[in-house]
Amino acid sequence: MQSALTRRTVVGGLVAIAVAPLSTSAAFATPETMSDAMRQELGPDARPQAGRIKITLPELAENANAVSMRIAVDSPMTAQDHVKDILVFSEKNPVPTVARFHLGPRSGQARVQTNIRLAGSQTITVVARMSDASLWIASADVIVTQGACFDGT
Amino acid sequence: MARPTRILVPKTAKKGEVIEIKTIINHHMETGFRRDDVGRVIPRDIITRFRCTFGGEVVFAMELFTGIAANPFIAFTTVATESGELAFEWEDQNGEVTRATATISVA
Amino acid sequence: MRRAPAYAAAVALFALTFALAGSLTAHERGIPAAEIRSGKTFLSRNLQADQDDPAANLGLLWVDQGAELWRTPAGTEGKSCGTCHGEPAAMKGVATRYPAFDAALGRLMNLETRIQNCRTTHQSGAPSLAYESQELLALTTLVTYQSRGLPMSVAIDGPAQEAFARGEQRFHRPQGQLGISCAQCHVENWGKRMRGDTVSQGYATGFPAYRLEWETLGSSHRRLRACFNGVRAEPFPPGSPEFIELELYLAWRADRLPIETPALRR
C-alpha cells in the first residue's frame, strides 16, 4: 500500500470497514456455517494438522471484489507424495466454500493463485489434502477497506 | 461471439522444468445475491469448473464458486514433459464450455 | 461556508484530511511538471504488476473483443472497421489527439463519439453503438491500446479553445452539495488517503480501465460519474458535451503522460 498505514491505525477507525458488496439480503456465512461446510467436505472426524501451507493475501485488501490470493503447499509433488486438493473456506461469504483446486504429480509444485471476493474483513482458511489422505490447515486474516468514491456506479 | 480468454504459457521450456500457466476469461460471475435497480434478485450465473489437459491427461482442475472474482484469473504450475498442446476448458453452471489451447515446445 | 447540517459528517471526513483550496490562475496545471504522476503509481505494487502482466490485466479481454469486432462486417454494405482503416495498428497515435474538435461536425469529439459516428455514417444500417455498451468499450479500448505508451498531445487552441475553457472552469468550480471542486482533490490533495483510496492527480490516461469496484471495464465518463456522485453533484450523461470538455481538460493536464489503456484501477 502507499502510505505507512499500519493495521493498528486502520482498526482504530480511520478507515471504514467495508460493507460487503456481495449481498444485502442473503444470510452471511457465520463461523458455524463454515465449520459445517468444512465437516461436509472433509468428513465429520477430520483433524487437519496446522502447517505446510503458505497463504499470501494482502493484509489490507484494496477492494473486496477482487483480492489476490496465492497458496503454496510444502510437498515434493512426486507420484508417491503429493497434494491432491486445496480447499478454500470463508467465514463471512454467503457461500463458505470459495474454491477447490485439484493437483497431482504433473503439477510439479503445489502453487496456485486466483482472485477472490470477500464479504468483509475476515479469516480465510485453507485445507490441503495429501496423497496419503493427511490433512493440513492454515489461515490468514484480511482487512477490507471501503473505496473513497462512494460509487453506486 | 466466443467468450474472450487469455492464456500465458512460456513458448519454450526445458524438459522437467516447472512452468507457470496463467489464464483469464471474460465472465461476470454473478453471485445470485445481488439485486437490480428495482429490487429483483439477479440470478446466479457463474463458471463452476476449469481444467487444463495435456495429451488428454488432466494436469490441473479447479471448482469455482460465487466467491471467485469476476473475470476469473487462475494461475497454476505444471511440469513440461514434451512439446505439445495444452487444452483449457471453462464450464459454466449450465454446462456451456469455453475452450482454448496453447502450444509449448519442450527441448 | 453554507453547508446543510445533514452533510456535516461527510464534510468532517474531508476536513479531517483536506486543507481547502486556494484559487488557480487559468491555463496552469497546478502541479509542477516534475511531479506529474500517473494514476498507476498510486496503486499497490500488486495491482501495478497485474496491469503490466498480459495474463493478469483483465482489461486486455476487451482489446481482444475489440479486435474481433474490428473485422466483423456491419451494415447494409457489409463494411467492417478494417475495410476502411486496415489493421487496428493503423490507429497508432490517434488516441493521443482525442478529444479533438471536428470542424465539419462543429463539435468536440472524443474517441467514443468518433467511433459512434463512424458506425452511424459509414456503416449505415448497422445498430448504433450505445455509450458504455460492451461493443463501444471494446472498440474504444482496442483503438486506445494502439497508442499505449505514447504521450497525450491534444490541441487546445483554435476551434477547441472555447470547449477547453469550459472544461477548465468546470474542473476548478466547487461542485455538488459538498461544494468541492475536482482541483481540491486532484490538485491540492493528491497523495492523501481517503478511506481505502489514495487520491491521484486525476488523469484519464488509463481509460477505458478495468476497475475492481465495477468488476468490469468502464469509460472515463463512468469514472467521472463516480467523482460527481462522490461530492453529491448531479453527473452529466455519459457522452455529453460537458463531460467531453472535461475530458479535454484532463487530457491537457496529463501533459505528456503516456497512455496506459487498459489500466487497472481500484
Side-chain angles (χ1 to χ4, degrees), chain A residues 1-3 5 14-16 21 58 60 62-63 65-66 68 70 113 115 117 145-153, chain C residues 14 37 41-44 46-48 193-198 211-215 222-223 225-227 229-230 266:
Chain A
M1 303 300 310
Q2 281 296 315
S3 70
L5 253 191
L14 201 117
V15 173
L60 196 65
E62 281 173 294
N63 189 291
N65 293 340
S68 168
R70 291 166 203 263
Q113 188 185 350
N115 295 333
R117 290 177 165 135
T145 61
Q146 191 177 38
C149 264
F150 2 69
D151 279 39
T153 57
Chain C
F14 294 121
R37 280 169 56 183
T41 64
F42 297 88
L43 304 173
S44 70
N46 245 340
L47 215 51
Q48 293 193 34
R193 294 296 301 253
M194 256 182 82
R195 305 208 220 171
D197 250 342
T198 307
R211 270 191 78 197
L212 304 184
E213 178 68 29
W214 296 333
E215 304 196 276
R222 187 172 177 189
R223 171 68 252 186
R225 189 170 80 188
C227 282
N229 288 342
R266 275 184 298 264

Side-chain angles (χ1 to χ4, degrees), chain C residues 97-130:
Chain C
R97 295 189 274 104
Y98 276 79
F101 194 84
D102 184 306
L105 296 171
R107 62 188 166 104
L108 191 68
M109 308 278 276
N110 66 356
L111 263 187
E112 282 92 341
T113 51
R114 165 62 71 206
I115 295 171
Q116 282 180 320
N117 191 64
C118 263
R119 172 54 70 100
T120 47
T121 60
H122 301 304
Q123 295 181 314
S124 54
S128 60
L129 296 165

Side-chain angles (χ1 to χ4, degrees), chain B residues 3-97:
Chain B
R3 261 180 205 295
T5 61
R6 273 194 165 233
I7 294 160
L8 197 75
V9 174
K11 284 199 173 58
T12 60
K14 286 200 278 289
K15 194 173 168 67
E17 188 183 339
V18 177
I19 56 165
E20 187 178 42
I21 298 174
K22 297 181 186 178
T23 69
I24 49 180
I25 182 168
N26 190 206
H27 196 290
H28 56 192
M29 293 296 280
E30 191 58 59
T31 60
F33 300 117
R34 300 196 310 159
R35 284 169 189 277
D36 66 13
D37 293 345
V38 293
R40 279 178 310 227
V41 170
I42 306 171
R44 191 184 87 143
D45 179 21
I46 64 168
I47 291 175
T48 51
R49 285 166 197 281
F50 168 79
R51 53 185 213 151
C52 169
T53 56
F54 185 81
E57 194 187 333
V58 177
V59 164
F60 171 84
M62 177 179 173
E63 290 167 80
L64 294 78
F65 298 83
T66 51
I68 298 298
N71 303 302
F73 167 81
I74 306 170
F76 54 96
T77 57
T78 189
V79 183
T81 51
E82 56 189 318
S83 301
E85 197 173 73
L86 289 150
F88 303 86
E89 283 179 16
W90 294 258
E91 185 179 333
D92 76 6
Q93 59 184 47
N94 306 316
E96 191 185 301
V97 178

Side-chain angles (χ1 to χ4, degrees), chain C residues 60-106:
Chain C
L60 292 169
L61 292 166
W62 278 261
V63 173
D64 295 348
Q65 207 175 338
E68 202 171 322
L69 289 168
W70 180 268
R71 44 177 192 263
T72 307
T76 44
E77 292 175 42
K79 285 184 179 152
S80 72
C81 315
T83 309
C84 298
H85 294 293
E87 288 300 310
M91 289 280 145
K92 185 173 176 180
V94 170
T96 65
R97 295 189 274 104
Y98 276 79
F101 194 84
D102 184 306
L105 296 171

